[in-house]
Amino acid sequence: MSTAGKPRVAVTRRIYPSLIEELKSVYALDDNQGDRLLPPEELARRLAAADGALTFATDRIDEAVLAAAAKLKVVANVAVGFNNFDLAACTRHGVLATNTPEVLNESVADHALALLLAAARRLGESERWLRAGHWKRWEFDQFAGADLHGRTLGIIGFGRIGRAIARRAAGFSMRVIYADTARLPADVEAGAQWVGKEELLRQADHVVVMVPYLPSTHHLIGAAELALMKPTAVLVNLARGGVVDDAALVRALRDGRLAAAGLDVFENEPQLNPGFLELENVVMTPHIASSTQATREAMARLAMRNLADALAGRRPPCLLNPDAWDRRRQ
Ligand code: DGY
């Protein structure tokens, strides 16, 4: 297939082959379809030759990358989170930056409940014990966990995903309280009660954190916050590593100041704080909250739509830096 005259697009991580074929029919593609994470110099080199790029949460798009990419018009993240972008630098260089909101809300909310249930009902711990051949007889209080029904769930960050989690919690007969930067209109709250973060940590039987990672949310949950929580509580983090202070969480879990945790994201992932691996009361998944076949395809397709619109001179639907529009590269 001739690539003459086609815009050049870099795809930095492996996606479904059918999507690669679709992209190849429209673009001259520079795809990285192995399992290799591009080192920063190689990422910069590939983007330097591209008109557009499909990027992922693992790609740091910063001043150095952008300064070397003179014809790059758009970076379309296949993720709702965009803390891997230096948005101000994208705007300065007239590069449109986009993300993939909405399409992953329900899958991430499902995963929040999966982690909450698994941690509260000690699924990982009891399964490991069973597989190790320790089950010799039934015991009255074996792996007695914590209830969800009738308890209060505190959700920190009541955006689209936080609210999808609240809808599921209602199905478990939980009362929902939330903390966010401001109170939401009553129809959006849908029965959830707005409280301050500290009040939430004191009142909630279980807590889910679902805020974007920003300088202001770095270590939003640290030692002081964990100390406010009930010792019987479960903490779930599916936001971003760095929102929770992992070292403080390890100490709280180890010392019995918190019952359990369910974690999908970690500081310095894929490296884990080794303390987590020594603990039975933590359930961990490798940043897969949105990873269902259908949702990952929907995310990639939305990113492809953002990319296509930007390269065709149309305003992409999920533009993160509207200030870049007037200075976009033609
Ligand atoms: C997101 O969409 O931000 C997920 O964390 C995947 O990177």
Side-chain angles (χ1 to χ4, degrees), residues 142-178:
Q142 216 154 35
F143 292 106
D147 277 322
L148 267 57
H149 69 271
R151 301 298 191 266
T152 296
L153 180 65
I155 302 178
I156 301 182
F158 212 54
R160 294 165 294 228
I161 299 174
R163 300 197 294 272
I165 295 169
R167 288 197 295 279
R168 283 157 178 75
F172 278 85
S173 307
M174 299 186 87
R175 169 179 172 249
V176 177
I177 56 179
Y178 73 94

